[in-house]
Amino acid sequence: MVKTMGIRDLKAHMSEAIRNVQEEETIEVTSHGQVVALLVPASRQPNEAEIRAALASLDALAAEIGRHLPGPTNVAEIISEMRR
């Protein structure tokens, strides 16, 4: 079963959330309605759907970052620029 909790709720009910996760429950942590983290039992491996969802989330994040970059660039150029 997957439960959803906002960050404020999680902070206020952390002990309860951890107990639920220990009982094999997954908790989606949200910020402004968007899932930002998953709390899953440490002993459980993510299933294929969860892995695909995580990768899609990373792809969306990369695309969002890319929209804010000036022109075509790559990671090496960004790191080099940051070091200057």
Side-chain angles (χ1 to χ4, degrees), residues 46-57:
N47 64 37
E48 187 173 335
E50 291 169 328
I51 292 169
R52 287 184 190 274
L55 291 174
S57 178

Side-chain angles (χ1 to χ4, degrees), residues 18-34:
I18 295 299
R19 271 193 305 278
N20 290 343
V21 171
Q22 286 174 326
E23 294 169 0
E24 300 299 313
E25 182 173 22
T26 297
I27 298 175
E28 293 179 334
V29 182
T30 61
S31 176
H32 304 287
Q34 299 293 318

Side-chain angles (χ1 to χ4, degrees), residues 3-8 10 27-39 53-54 57-58 61:
K3 181 177 181 177
T4 301
M5 293 182 84
I7 291 175
R8 281 185 158 174
L10 178 62
I27 298 175
E28 293 179 334
V29 182
T30 61
S31 176
H32 304 287
Q34 299 293 318
V35 176
V36 295
L38 290 175
L39 296 178
S57 178
L58 288 174
L61 177 59

Side-chain angles (χ1 to χ4, degrees), residues 35-78:
V35 176
V36 295
L38 290 175
L39 296 178
V40 298
S43 60
R44 184 175 77 73
Q45 296 295 316
N47 64 37
E48 187 173 335
E50 291 169 328
I51 292 169
R52 287 184 190 274
L55 291 174
S57 178
L58 288 174
D59 286 344
L61 177 59
E64 179 66 24
I65 291 169
R67 282 193 284 280
H68 298 281
L69 295 175
T73 188
N74 64 43
V75 174
E77 291 172 355
I78 293 169

